[in-house]
Amino acid sequence: MPKGIVRIAPATRLDDRARAVTFSQDDLEFLGLNREDLEPFILTDEDRQDIPEESTGHSSLEKHPLIDFDGELVFALPHAASPAIRRFVLSKLRKMGYLHVFGDALGTRQARQLKKDGLWELKVEVESLVPPELVPAYKCQVIEIQLKNRKKTMRNPVQDGTIMI
């Protein structure tokens, strides 16, 4: 349902901008992409109908940022490419039953990276601790950091496949 008129200055070169985000079959082939590989990211007619009821951050367009217009793909939401790919990968991992394994591996890698690179300027001493026995290892990674005679313990819990550090 339109809400008003959007006026665009004549100096705005819409054709050039539209071409920059529009891909024909030839364009895809030139880039080495198969349309079939992009299917999970193409907005369907069903998804389009749901958009008015969806919230920002969880919309069908953010999950499927490509729109098919007469055989050409329009990259309607370029900034959603990375989140859409991450959602797709996590969804596939969940379906395959590997989400906890991935979460454990990612948490371990992030903890190592934080210990090695992220705290370089701040650390006096960094010591990795074993999580409490009651909590499975994939649920919690504990890092103790001593910052100028102050100790701070951080936990990165795994919640619904999201690892927070």
Side-chain angles (χ1 to χ4, degrees):
M1 173 176 354
K3 295 188 178 186
I5 296 173
V6 176
R7 299 199 189 283
I8 300 173
T12 305
R13 299 183 320 209
L14 292 180
D15 289 341
D16 292 341
R17 293 178 185 187
R19 270 193 298 279
V21 294
T22 303
F23 300 90
S24 67
Q25 185 60 37
D26 289 341
D27 294 332
L28 295 177
E29 288 174 12
F30 178 77
L31 294 169
L33 298 171
N34 292 323
R35 186 182 174 91
E36 295 79 33
D37 294 337
L38 299 174
E39 287 295 326
F41 306 103
I42 298 174
L43 191 70
T44 65
D45 290 337
E46 292 172 17
D47 294 328
R48 286 182 198 199
Q49 294 172 5
D50 295 336
I51 291 175
E53 309 303 320
E54 296 173 334
S55 62
T56 302
H58 303 284
S59 74
S60 295
L61 186 57
E62 290 163 315
K63 295 173 192 169
H64 313 282
L66 298 172
I67 298 177
D68 185 341
F69 283 106
D70 297 325
E72 292 189 325
L73 292 179
V74 175
F75 205 170
L77 205 58
H79 72 274
S82 178
I85 293 168
R86 284 180 281 163
R87 285 180 191 211
F88 175 77
V89 169
L90 291 174
S91 171
K92 289 295 183 185
L93 287 170
R94 179 177 285 126
K95 287 178 184 174
M96 294 167 55
Y98 291 125
L99 191 58
H100 289 297
V101 175
F102 175 75
D104 188 25
L106 182 60
T108 300
R109 180 178 170 89
Q110 288 176 332
R112 269 195 236 126
Q113 187 176 11
L114 179 66
K115 179 179 176 182
K116 181 182 172 226
D117 300 326
L119 303 174
W120 181 253
E121 293 182 21
L122 301 175
K123 71 180 180 181
V124 174
E125 180 182 326
V126 174
E127 179 182 341
S128 294
L129 303 174
V130 178
E133 289 182 31
L134 298 176
V135 179
Y138 69 86
K139 290 284 188 181
C140 183
Q141 180 79 25
V142 180
I143 299 172
E144 187 174 283
I145 307 164
Q146 184 175 346
L147 301 172
K148 298 181 183 171
N149 299 326
R150 288 189 336 209
K151 286 188 178 181
K152 181 177 182 182
T153 301
M154 300 184 326
R155 294 177 183 267
N156 61 329
V158 177
Q159 299 173 346
D160 300 325
T162 304
I163 299 170
M164 295 187 258
I165 285 201

